Amino acid sequence: MIPSGTSNAEVYLVRRLLFVQNCRSQNKICNFQNSVAVQVVSDDEFMDDDVPVETPEGSNSGGSNQRRLMTHGKSTEENVIQFLQVFEERYGRVHPAFHIGSLKSAMTAAFNVPADLKRPLIVFLHSDTPFTAHLFCSQVVCSENIARYIDQNFVMWVQDLTDSRLQRQILTEVQSIFGTDGRRQVEFYVPDKLPLMIVITKVASSPQVFAVFQGDISPDLLMAQLIDAVENYSQTRSIEKMAEMEQEQRSMLREQQEQEYLDSLSRDREKDEMKKIEEKEKKVARGNRRGETIFLRGPYTP
């Protein structure tokens, strides 16, 4: 029995350890990497495993940990909302903000804005399969300092790839945005090297992978790498800002020249109108003078 008062994340980790011990006792296949057990049997089998958990009356701790972060067949928005809810049930509310929407819309939020508002994009690919994923979430992703820094400097998009169908779905989406090379880069890590964070920047209208951080990274090292990514991208952003300012200046000059040209045409039209009016007045005046002359001479007599 797991004692009451145990946090959701701790309950989940204990359940994983018990499951791995059960694997070994039944001679099921397990891998051991860096002295940490990594489950390679199906995650569905783990989800069906029943480990008794003591919880206070009315509490949903323990049972809620078995919920999937994402479900195949739901829309991207629905899945991100489900991910957020289940993630907070497991690890608490201290975490970076997750962009609600598709990968394409996350890229729009990160890059299709003025240069001084552009931010790198973090693609967080998660899987419940490796035991290290839960350590990464609880100790790294939910670090208050890291969460705050990501919120201030990045756009973060999440995808759970526990389900192989979701793996195929994300690979298709990646290929549609980044092409075949981008798909191959992600395929290198999916599914065996999850979880990971992919930092994407956009230089000269071309998105590119700046860095990849795997789940065995420490909070301090991740923070250092994130700071490096922001500083590196700030240089690119400064160049783009200068280019935007030059473009704005050219645009303003062009508009000024166009306005001056229109003003010149308007003045020319006004001059033409004034000239026509003056000529008309002169013509009328000449006609009046001729009439006066005839009147003074009197009527014609043969």
Side-chain angles (χ1 to χ4, degrees):
M1 299 290 288
I2 299 175
S4 60
T6 306
S7 69
N8 288 343
E10 290 171 337
V11 169
Y12 207 86
L13 296 180
V14 170
R15 291 176 64 88
R16 285 282 179 177
L17 286 171
L18 292 174
F19 183 81
V20 171
Q21 291 174 358
N22 185 46
C23 284
R24 297 179 67 183
S25 65
Q26 298 181 27
N27 293 323
K28 292 184 179 179
I29 299 174
C30 289
N31 290 337
F32 292 88
Q33 185 177 22
N34 299 327
S35 300
V36 178
V38 181
Q39 172 197 343
V40 296
V41 293
S42 72
D43 200 65
D44 290 331
E45 189 173 358
F46 166 74
M47 294 297 181
D48 294 336
D49 186 53
D50 186 19
V51 178
V53 180
E54 283 187 0
T55 57
E57 185 176 354
S59 170
N60 64 354
S61 300
S64 62
N65 289 327
Q66 296 184 21
R67 290 180 59 196
R68 288 296 184 105
L69 284 160
M70 288 186 174
T71 304
H72 179 263
K74 288 188 175 183
S75 70
T76 303
E77 290 78 6
E78 290 173 331
N79 261 332
V80 174
I81 292 172
Q82 178 176 317
F83 186 101
L84 174 63
Q85 293 172 343
V86 179
F87 191 90
E88 289 187 348
E89 289 172 0
R90 294 181 183 179
Y91 308 110
R93 294 191 173 185
V94 178
H95 59 78
F98 303 140
H99 176 82
I100 307 296
S102 65
L103 175 57
K104 188 174 182 179
S105 71
M107 292 188 63
T108 298
F111 305 123
N112 289 11
V113 292
D116 54 351
L117 298 178
K118 289 182 179 181
R119 295 177 288 171
L121 172 66
I122 292 179
V123 176
F124 174 29
L125 301 181
H126 175 82
S127 174
D128 272 339
T129 303
F131 175 75
T132 51
H134 307 286
L135 295 174
F136 181 67
C137 289
S138 61
Q139 297 181 13
V140 180
V141 179
C142 294
S143 164
E144 186 173 353
N145 290 336
I146 288 177
R148 185 187 305 113
Y149 191 78
I150 288 176
D151 284 344
Q152 292 172 348
N153 297 283
F154 295 86
V155 173
M156 189 171 192
W157 184 77
V158 297
Q159 180 75 19
D160 177 57
L161 302 181
T162 305
D163 190 321
S164 60
R165 293 170 296 182
L166 291 174
Q167 295 172 17
R168 293 191 292 270
Q169 181 177 310
I170 185 61
L171 290 173
T172 300
E173 188 168 6
V174 166
Q175 182 168 351
S176 69
I177 298 173
F178 301 100
T180 304
D181 290 341
R183 179 188 176 112
R184 288 185 184 136
Q185 283 184 290
V186 175
E187 279 180 324
F188 177 77
Y189 296 98
V190 176
D192 298 329
K193 296 179 175 64
L194 298 175
L196 57 85
M197 288 183 179
I198 304 174
V199 178
I200 297 173
T201 58
K202 195 172 186 180
V203 180
S205 301
S206 178
Q208 62 183 24
V209 174
F210 176 81
V212 177
F213 309 127
Q214 292 186 250
D216 58 353
I217 193 170
S218 69
D220 291 341
L221 181 56
L222 177 61
M223 176 64 82
Q225 296 287 350
L226 292 176
I227 292 173
D228 180 64
V230 170
E231 291 178 349
N232 184 279
Y233 192 58
S234 66
Q235 298 176 7
T236 300
R237 195 166 54 185
S238 297
I239 295 172
E240 291 185 353
K241 179 63 176 177
M242 291 180 61
E244 279 188 3
M245 292 176 63
E246 292 175 357
Q247 178 66 27
E248 289 175 2
Q249 290 174 353
R250 288 195 295 269
S251 179
M252 290 175 61
L253 179 60
R254 184 167 55 252
E255 290 177 1
Q256 181 180 352
Q257 291 172 340
E258 290 176 352
Q259 188 61 48
E260 290 176 353
Y261 175 71
L262 293 174
D263 291 342
S264 176
L265 288 178
S266 179
R267 287 192 297 267
D268 290 343
R269 283 195 297 268
E270 289 178 0
K271 289 179 180 179
D272 289 342
E273 290 295 327
M274 290 296 296
K275 188 175 182 180
K276 289 178 181 178
I277 292 173
E278 290 175 357
E279 290 178 351
K280 186 175 182 181
E281 290 176 346
K282 289 178 180 179
K283 187 175 181 180
V284 170
R286 286 195 299 269
N288 290 338
R289 284 197 297 271
R290 285 198 300 269
E292 291 174 357
T293 301
I294 294 173
F295 177 75
L296 291 173
R297 287 178 179 176
Y300 172 75
T301 54

